[in-house]
Amino acid sequence: MEFAFPIPDHLPRAAQPRQADISTSILTALSEASPINLAQTNDWVQQLNEAINQTELAIHNRIHQDLEAFERQTDTSRSIQRRFTALTSNIGRLHTELEDAETGSIPRITQALREHFDVAQRALDSTTTTTSLQYLQKCKQTHGNVVKLTTAGELPAAVLASTELQALVEACPSPLRESLVVLDLQHVARSSRDNVLEQLSGVYHSCLLLKNSKLSIQHRYKRLSLSDILASIPSQTLVTDLATLRKDIIAQFIRPALSIDAPSIFASSTILELQPSRSSSPFKSVLEVFSFLREQLVPHLPELHRKSFVTSFYPPLCDAVEAHLLNAMPRGIDGLPTYLDLVLEAINLEAKIVEMGFFGGMERRIHQWGVQVQSHYEKRRRTQLLEEVRTIILSDSNPPVRIEIETPSVVREETHPAQEANGSNAEDEEGNWDFDDDDSSAQEPSENISKQEDNREEDTETAEGDGWGFDDDDDVPTPAEGKDSKGEGHDPWGVEWDDMPVEKTEPSSRDTAAEKRMDPSSSHPQSAHTPNSAPNVAKRFEQESYFVSHVATAVSSITKQILEEGLRLSGSSVFKERGFTASHPAILLSTAPSALDLFRGLYPTGRLSGNSESLAPRLQYSNDCKYLAEVSEKLRATYTNIHQSDADALNVRFEEVTQRLEMTNVSWLEDTMDEEAQALLSRLAEIGGFDDLGHNSRYEEAHGKIRQIKNRITIFSQELKSSLAISIYNQNLGMLIDRVLDRVLQDVFALDDISEIVSERIATICRTLHPLEALFPEIENVSTVASYASLWLKFTYLSDILEGSLADISSWFDSGLLIDYEPQELCRLVRALFADTPHRAAFISRILNH
């Protein structure tokens, strides 16, 4: 056979196939032959014979190849066969000798051992029974002795006997432990011991009888002495009884003696009794208790428990004395001399108690407490004062108080070049911002405009209905007629005020308005924008007032009292005079700023948590923080006679408190104003800018929302004015109006093209906000709105720019009246208002190059 590739030499080759056995071959042929004849049979017999002969021959040859080894192995096999036969015979005989039931050794030995075991078991049972009976007899005798001693009243000996009986029962032999008699004996022993201890306990309580604040000690009970009785009580039981006695003595004698009523204590030879009469000195009564115990009880105690019992009084005694001293602590410096004498009595009491042996500890606690008595006094007063402040903050319900303050104000006396040249007096000329003109010729356009505005408002009311819940027909007081609204819950969006007459706010003509602003004799703050003005500044103080809560004034008063008390303590020598360690009263002095801090932290959570959305309480809290910050700043100048380190630390604390109060005042006020500003800006955003005002519906909607914004500002200003000082009111209201005006200006500046009708309507909408100037005070009949709302002049000129001609705007620009406008803003307005002409381009170029 050829393979496709050569087979490697190292691989094993297949073994040669074995030839079939002759018998197998014959059987196979026999099974295949059909039929079988004689010749085939002879042939198969011959093959078998040949195969047998060959096998015999092979065996013979194999034997004769190593005949010696064959013979040796044959002899060995025969020898093994003979020895195996002998061993089998011997084993049979040995088995008969050992295992035979009658003559065998093993059955005889087993029987002998069984008989010996029975004898030994009977002997052991007899011994165990005898021992157990003897042990039970001993237990019986001991129990009888216990009963006898108990009956005879020999309780100490009965306790020892019951203890012995208990030990015998617990150490009983193992065969008895599970027996019924031992279980019975355990019960009897326990009952006997409990009976003895119960009688002994009764005797103990008869000897030491404490009931209704009366302690009676009997040194003998019949034939038994108190010492023997106490020594016979088990150690653990005696520890418990003595601890109970100590607690009762503390509760019924020592603490009542150190209470406010301070009853007296009477001690005789065997009786200690608390009497209702008032003691002259509580510490003398306490000393009577310990003297009685040392003489009547302590000598009879077992030595093992004596020291632990007497020393266990010291900690609760110190606790009671310290509690008494804290409760007796005066609520002011005037009571300190008497109180310090009381502390000295307590220290003397401790010294006498220590001499008696009732002391257990490393140091004398009452003496150490007395060394630090000033610190304890200051801490106690701090707790009392701050708790008083807390009570005032949470429970004071008195009405607010108006506070008068002096506020510096700046008065500007301006001298204009035009006045000096013409020799005219600004006070003799009429220059105001009400835009009223006495000329009849100017009155008619104003009246026409007023009628047109009234018609527009009626159309707006018909179209809008009461979309915001406003009613223009309601008689709502104007800002000049408004009353103090403090305490009234106004909904700024729930009522719509009638606009003030248009003829009083809208200029009768563009030229007249421009001329009045250009008049250098005008006393309006706008004149500050005139480049040639030369203001003379004078400073004066004005009286202002604002409301603060009665809580704040009460906290202010108690803070002053705390500081005064700390200063008095700093200058006092009462501690040194009585031998105590005196230090600077840093704790008491620091309580003053802590009271202000407590108000700042507790007032919002305790008083404002339920009405945090209301305006008046939030403004009230802001005012309170402002007022207390001023109080804190003033208090810093009141202490001069204290140690420099205390003064420095107190300065730091008052400065921190002042900063926190001022920050709280500003943050609460700013948050309130910011929320109001966001509400106004959200309402203004609903207008969606001034696009498409040529449509009557859009104009009426925008005009109505602007009126609502004006009305909300007016109502909000009344609430603001009733709570805040006028200067703060002006500043915050000015900033609020500025945010609204800035949004309106940005919406106007965002217009790319403004038609004539749209410009007139935007001007009318802007004039709706002009009455807001009446919310500010007047100086010489001129509103000061521009001093607080920086965008006011810029905003009021917007209406004139929207309705003016290019020549008018150019004239105002040249005269400096439009200085508030950025060049880009003014150019954007000009591009939106006027068509692209050479005049407009020239004017824009002039603006940019100015």
Side-chain angles (χ1 to χ4, degrees):
M1 178 180 295
E2 294 184 359
F3 295 95
F5 54 89
I7 299 175
D9 296 335
H10 67 277
L11 293 178
R13 297 297 189 266
Q16 294 294 329
R18 295 180 60 186
Q19 293 182 356
D21 187 68
I22 186 62
S23 59
T24 303
S25 301
I26 293 173
L27 291 174
T28 302
L30 183 62
S31 63
E32 294 177 353
S34 181
I36 301 174
N37 51 36
L38 182 61
Q40 290 177 333
T41 302
N42 292 332
D43 188 25
W44 292 339
V45 170
Q46 186 179 359
Q47 291 179 5
L48 287 174
N49 291 329
E50 290 177 358
I52 291 171
N53 292 330
Q54 289 178 358
T55 302
E56 291 177 350
L57 180 62
I59 293 171
H60 183 268
N61 292 336
R62 179 71 182 88
I63 291 173
H64 283 82
Q65 284 181 355
D66 194 356
L67 183 61
E68 294 180 0
F70 176 77
E71 290 177 350
R72 186 172 58 254
Q73 290 175 0
T74 303
D75 294 338
T76 301
S77 299
R78 289 172 180 169
S79 175
I80 290 173
Q81 186 176 7
R82 288 194 300 270
R83 283 183 289 176
F84 177 73
T85 302
L87 181 61
T88 302
S89 176
N90 293 333
I91 289 173
R93 288 196 302 272
L94 180 61
H95 181 270
T96 301
E97 293 177 358
L98 292 177
E99 297 294 338
D100 186 73
E102 294 181 356
T103 61
S105 300
I106 293 176
R108 291 200 301 270
I109 293 173
T110 302
Q111 181 64 28
L113 290 176
R114 185 178 296 108
E115 292 175 355
H116 181 270
F117 175 77
D118 292 340
V119 173
Q121 184 64 43
R122 287 195 299 274
L124 180 62
D125 291 345
S126 301
T127 304
T128 302
T129 302
T130 303
T131 304
S132 299
L133 291 174
Q134 292 175 350
Y135 196 87
L136 291 174
Q137 181 65 26
K138 186 178 181 180
C139 292
K140 180 180 178 181
Q141 293 175 355
T142 306
H143 176 258
N145 188 28
V146 172
V147 173
K148 179 180 178 181
L149 292 173
T150 304
T151 305
E154 300 291 338
L155 296 180
V159 170
L160 295 177
S162 64
T163 302
E164 182 183 357
L165 177 61
Q166 188 73 24
L168 286 174
V169 172
E170 291 177 355
C172 66
S174 55
L176 290 175
R177 287 178 184 173
E178 301 299 329
S179 63
L180 295 176
V181 65
V182 170
L183 294 178
D184 255 358
L185 189 59
Q186 289 177 351
H187 176 70
V188 170
R190 190 180 303 111
S191 299
S192 300
R193 181 176 176 79
D194 291 344
N195 183 31
V196 173
L197 293 180
E198 184 178 358
Q199 294 187 36
L200 192 61
S201 177
V203 174
Y204 166 83
H205 288 97
S206 297
C207 293
L208 300 178
L209 179 61
L210 178 56
K211 185 177 181 182
N212 297 330
S213 299
K214 182 178 179 180
L215 175 61
S216 175
I217 299 179
Q218 303 295 329
H219 295 160
R220 297 196 67 82
Y221 181 83
K222 296 182 179 180
R223 292 179 299 174
L224 302 177
S225 66
L226 180 60
S227 301
D228 294 338
I229 294 171
L230 295 177
S232 301
I233 298 175
S235 179
Q236 189 62 37
T237 304
L238 184 60
V239 169
T240 304
D241 291 340
L242 292 178
T244 302
L245 178 63
R246 172 181 54 80
K247 293 178 183 178
D248 291 340
I249 292 174
I250 294 293
Q252 298 188 32
F253 289 98
I254 295 178
R255 287 178 183 168
L258 296 176
S259 63
I260 297 176
D261 297 334
S264 60
I265 295 178
F266 170 77
S268 64
S269 59
T270 59
I271 295 177
L272 183 70
E273 186 175 4
L274 191 70
Q275 296 181 345
S277 60
R278 187 176 181 84
S279 174
S280 59
S281 173
F283 297 120
K284 290 183 180 179
S285 299
V286 174
L287 188 60
E288 287 286 343
V289 175
F290 286 97
S291 299
F292 179 82
L293 294 176
R294 185 188 64 172
E295 296 174 0
Q296 304 299 328
L297 178 61
V298 173
H300 301 280
L301 293 174
E303 189 67 29
L304 179 63
H305 302 281
R306 184 176 302 168
K307 184 176 181 180
S308 61
F309 176 72
V310 296
T311 57
S312 64
F313 277 92
Y314 186 73
L317 172 65
C318 293
D319 294 339
V321 171
E322 290 174 4
H324 175 70
L325 293 177
L326 287 176
N327 293 330
M329 193 168 288
R331 300 182 69 89
I333 300 177
D334 296 335
L336 275 178
T338 305
Y339 176 72
L340 293 179
D341 293 338
L342 185 67
V343 175
L344 290 175
E345 290 184 16
I347 295 174
N348 293 333
L349 170 67
E350 183 186 39
K352 294 178 180 179
I353 294 297
V354 171
E355 290 178 1
M356 295 180 183
F358 292 90
F359 174 72
M362 300 299 296
E363 60 180 16
R364 298 184 180 184
R365 283 177 49 182
I366 299 177
H367 179 268
Q368 291 297 326
W369 195 94
V371 170
Q372 303 175 0
V373 64
Q374 181 179 349
S375 175
H376 293 300
Y377 169 75
E378 293 185 50
K379 292 177 181 178
R380 182 71 171 182
R381 286 295 292 150
R382 176 185 177 90
T383 303
Q384 293 172 349
L385 293 168
L386 291 181
E387 181 61 29
E388 185 177 347
V389 172
R390 179 181 176 276
T391 303
I392 292 173
I393 293 173
L394 296 179
S395 61
D396 193 323
S397 58
N398 294 319
V401 180
R402 183 173 289 276
I403 300 298
E404 299 287 340
I405 60 173
E406 286 189 353
T407 304
S409 62
V410 176
V411 179
R412 295 186 177 185
E413 300 175 355
E414 299 181 354
T415 304
H416 302 281
Q419 283 181 299
E420 297 174 356
N422 299 329
S424 60
N425 191 350
E427 296 178 357
D428 297 335
E429 297 186 5
E430 296 179 0
N432 52 49
W433 281 86
D434 57 5
F435 298 102
D436 292 335
D437 198 337
D438 296 336
D439 295 339
S440 59
S441 60
Q443 188 75 17
E444 294 176 359
S446 178
E447 293 176 356
N448 294 333
I449 295 174
S450 300
K451 293 178 181 179
Q452 294 175 3
E453 290 296 326
D454 293 339
N455 293 334
R456 291 194 191 103
E457 292 176 6
E458 292 175 0
D459 296 339
T460 303
E461 292 168 2
T462 304
E464 290 183 327
D466 55 353
W468 279 18
F470 291 92
D471 187 1
D472 289 338
D473 296 332
D474 292 343
D475 294 328
V476 182
T478 62
E481 298 171 353
K483 298 179 180 179
D484 190 356
S485 61
K486 188 168 187 65
E488 298 176 2
H490 292 293
D491 182 2
W493 298 104
V495 178
E496 179 167 345
W497 290 25
D498 293 333
D499 287 339
M500 298 181 66
V502 180
E503 58 269 23
K504 290 188 177 182
T505 59
E506 188 174 322
S508 58
S509 66
R510 303 186 193 95
D511 296 338
T512 302
E515 289 172 0
K516 290 192 174 185
R517 290 193 183 93
M518 292 171 61
D519 184 3
S521 64
S522 175
S523 61
H524 194 282
Q526 177 183 332
S527 59
H529 294 279
T530 305
N532 296 325
S533 63
N536 296 324
V537 178
K539 187 175 183 181
R540 68 182 182 184
F541 289 89
E542 295 181 353
Q543 288 289 335
E544 290 185 356
S545 65
Y546 60 93
F547 279 102
V548 297
S549 66
H550 189 271
V551 174
T553 58
V555 171
S556 170
S557 299
I558 196 171
T559 303
K560 295 175 184 176
Q561 295 174 7
I562 295 171
L563 188 58
E564 290 174 359
E565 182 175 342
L567 295 176
R568 284 187 60 193
L569 184 61
S570 177
S572 174
S573 60
V574 63
F575 291 100
K576 291 183 179 179
E577 292 174 354
R578 284 162 176 77
F580 292 100
T581 303
S583 60
H584 306 300
I587 297 176
L588 189 57
L589 288 173
S590 66
T591 307
S594 297
L596 302 178
D597 247 350
L598 180 61
F599 172 87
R600 181 183 59 84
L602 184 59
Y603 190 91
T605 58
R607 302 294 288 266
L608 301 181
S609 58
N611 52 355
S612 58
E613 300 298 328
S614 180
L615 174 63
R618 300 172 68 183
L619 294 177
Q620 183 74 78
Y621 178 59
S622 176
N623 282 348
D624 291 346
C625 292
K626 178 182 184 306
Y627 168 71
L628 291 179
E630 295 170 355
V631 170
S632 175
E633 193 64 26
K634 291 177 182 177
L635 290 178
R636 291 179 60 186
T638 60
Y639 46 86
T640 56
N641 58 341
I642 60 175
H643 194 268
Q644 185 61 37
S645 61
D646 293 337
D648 294 340
L650 201 54
N651 278 333
V652 172
R653 285 286 292 125
F654 270 119
E655 185 176 357
E656 292 176 354
V657 170
T658 302
Q659 292 176 355
R660 292 170 184 166
L661 288 169
E662 289 175 347
M663 186 181 303
T664 305
N665 162 43
V666 173
S667 63
W668 277 70
L669 183 57
E670 287 181 350
D671 291 345
T672 303
M673 300 304 298
D674 186 64
E675 290 179 9
E676 185 65 22
Q678 293 299 328
L680 293 171
L681 295 178
S682 298
R683 185 60 66 184
L684 191 59
E686 294 177 1
I687 298 176
F690 296 119
D691 297 328
D692 303 328
L693 287 188
H695 300 287
N696 290 334
S697 59
R698 280 279 295 131
Y699 167 68
E700 291 165 356
E701 178 186 1
H703 195 191
K705 292 186 184 300
I706 291 294
R707 285 201 312 274
Q708 293 166 0
I709 291 172
K710 184 263 297 183
N711 293 339
R712 173 158 184 165
I713 293 175
T714 304
I715 295 175
F716 177 76
S717 69
Q718 291 181 353
E719 296 185 359
L720 205 63
K721 190 174 184 180
S722 64
S723 298
L724 303 180
I726 188 64
S727 59
I728 299 177
Y729 158 79
N730 291 333
Q731 294 170 6
N732 286 275
L733 184 61
M735 289 188 291
L736 178 67
I737 293 176
D738 259 353
R739 295 183 68 173
V740 175
L741 299 183
D742 180 64
R743 180 61 178 271
V744 174
L745 289 170
Q746 295 303 323
D747 288 345
V748 175
F749 293 152
L751 299 176
D752 295 325
D753 184 26
I754 304 176
S755 64
E756 182 177 358
I757 185 173
V758 171
S759 65
E760 292 177 354
R761 290 183 172 182
I762 294 176
T764 302
I765 289 175
C766 292
R767 287 193 180 96
T768 304
L769 298 177
H770 286 184
L772 294 177
E773 68 176 347
L775 302 177
F776 295 88
E778 295 184 351
I779 299 178
E780 298 178 358
N781 296 326
V782 177
S783 175
T784 58
V785 59
S787 299
Y788 305 105
S790 59
L791 297 177
W792 184 259
L793 297 177
K794 183 176 181 179
F795 178 76
T796 53
Y797 275 119
L798 180 62
S799 299
D800 296 332
I801 293 174
L802 291 171
E803 293 181 335
S805 64
L806 188 60
D808 293 335
I809 299 173
S810 177
S811 174
W812 298 335
F813 177 76
D814 292 338
S815 60
L817 297 179
L818 304 181
I819 193 172
D820 289 318
Y821 284 86
E822 296 292 335
Q824 296 296 334
E825 295 174 345
L826 194 56
C827 291
R828 190 171 184 83
L829 279 177
V830 171
R831 289 191 183 99
L833 288 169
F834 303 101
D836 189 7
T837 61
H839 293 289
R840 190 190 80 170
F843 180 48
I844 291 175
S845 177
R846 191 151 48 87
I847 293 173
L848 295 175
N849 296 326
H850 188 272

